[in-house]
Amino acid sequence: EDQVTQSPEALRLQEGESSSLNCSYTVSGLRGLFWYRQDPGKGPEFLFTLYSAGEEKEKERLKATLTKKESFLHITAPKPEDSATYLCAVHPHNQGGKLIFGQGTELSVKP
Amino acid sequence: DAGVIQSPRHEVTEMGQEVTLRCKPISGHNSLFWYRQTMMRGLELLIYFNNNVPIDDSGMPEDRFSAKMPNASFSTLKIQPSEPRDSAVYFCASSLRTVDTEAFFGQGTRLTVV
């Protein structure tokens, strides 16, 4: 069964304290892995898509990496405005447009 | 473009009533998705359309749920009759294509069934 597990469930950081969020996945065949950011009361906002092991993508203080079993979202020198829930989703082969989401990591960055 | 537009933003209804949620996707996007988000189950795909045609409705919880897309700029998700366990945030999302492209989400409709 296709599955996505994110850890930790919640993460509290001080401003400037770098860390990583983990997304482990089990899927019959991976078409793509997506990272989204969700602020309270809003819909998820697209961040990155990764397609193959070894691929990396960066955006401001965020860098996403992908291996055959997991993805990491590295946050370098975070700021309070980076506080949000970060969602990981996999797009399996042979399932059309279906995305399977993890439960998310709630990140809080204190000044 | 204003993005994906959902209405209403909040809906409170009594058990047994019919509820209709509405969505206007981004112009030019060919795929539309309905998701439900709860604390217990996270974000789950209910149904998606490609070129206005329902492709996969395996996530629709039961026959009380139905979705339509009469044209490229409008979709509805209907619950009839509603039950307290349907309380959740319902998101609509659209993308250029079904596969390999990111989905853009609306602000969601928070449904409370009392």
Side-chain angles (χ1 to χ4, degrees):
Chain A
E1 181 184 348
D2 299 326
Q3 199 168 2
V4 178
T5 304
Q6 291 187 245
S7 63
E9 290 185 9
L11 181 62
R12 292 186 177 185
L13 300 174
Q14 288 296 124
E15 185 171 1
E17 180 186 3
S18 301
S19 188
S20 296
L21 312 182
N22 177 263
C23 171
S24 297
Y25 62 90
T26 304
V27 66
S28 52
L30 182 68
R31 190 159 191 141
L33 185 142
F34 295 77
W35 281 98
Y36 283 84
R37 168 190 171 130
Q38 187 173 24
D39 292 296
K42 295 191 175 182
E45 177 187 346
F46 171 76
L47 292 173
F48 304 108
T49 309
L50 302 167
Y51 294 104
S52 57
E55 188 175 0
E56 298 183 352
K57 287 193 176 174
E58 288 188 63
K59 180 180 180 179
E60 296 180 355
R61 295 176 292 282
L62 301 177
K63 183 170 79 172
T65 61
L66 181 65
T67 72
K68 289 187 177 181
K69 294 184 178 181
E70 57 192 350
S71 176
F72 291 94
L73 184 65
H74 306 278
I75 303 177
T76 302
K79 297 182 178 181
E81 53 261 43
D82 294 322
S83 298
T85 296
Y86 291 85
L87 297 167
C88 167
V90 296
H91 184 191
H93 274 292
N94 303 321
Q95 291 207 34
K98 186 174 184 176
L99 290 182
I100 299 171
F101 280 84
Q103 291 284 72
T105 293
E106 185 177 354
L107 174 66
S108 175
V109 182
K110 300 299 182 184
Chain B
D1 200 314
V4 176
I5 299 172
Q6 292 186 245
S7 64
R9 288 296 311 278
H10 303 274
E11 176 82 39
V12 180
T13 190
E14 291 185 349
M15 182 174 62
Q17 295 298 306
E18 177 180 296
V19 176
T20 299
L21 311 182
R22 297 172 175 80
C23 175
K24 181 182 186 323
I26 293 173
S27 177
H29 281 192
N30 295 320
S31 298
L32 183 140
F33 307 83
W34 282 101
Y35 285 89
R36 178 172 67 177
Q37 189 174 39
T38 61
M39 288 293 292
M40 288 295 296
R41 301 177 66 90
L43 202 58
E44 300 176 287
L45 179 67
L46 300 177
I47 184 171
Y48 76 90
F49 296 80
N50 196 36
N51 294 322
N52 311 338
V53 177
I55 303 299
D56 184 349
D57 65 355
S58 60
M60 297 285 260
E62 41 194 282
D63 291 345
R64 297 184 296 105
F65 286 69
S66 62
K68 294 182 179 180
M69 192 165 186
N71 56 63
S73 59
F74 184 67
S75 177
T76 60
L77 178 68
K78 185 178 293 186
I79 307 172
Q80 165 63 21
S82 57
E83 296 182 3
R85 59 193 168 118
D86 301 330
S87 297
V89 181
Y90 290 81
F91 288 103
C92 175
S94 70
S95 66
L96 278 173
R97 300 183 301 274
T98 302
V99 296
D100 300 336
T101 57
E102 63 270 25
F104 294 83
F105 284 76
Q107 296 277 58
T109 295
R110 180 174 294 278
L111 174 65
T112 303
V113 183
V114 298

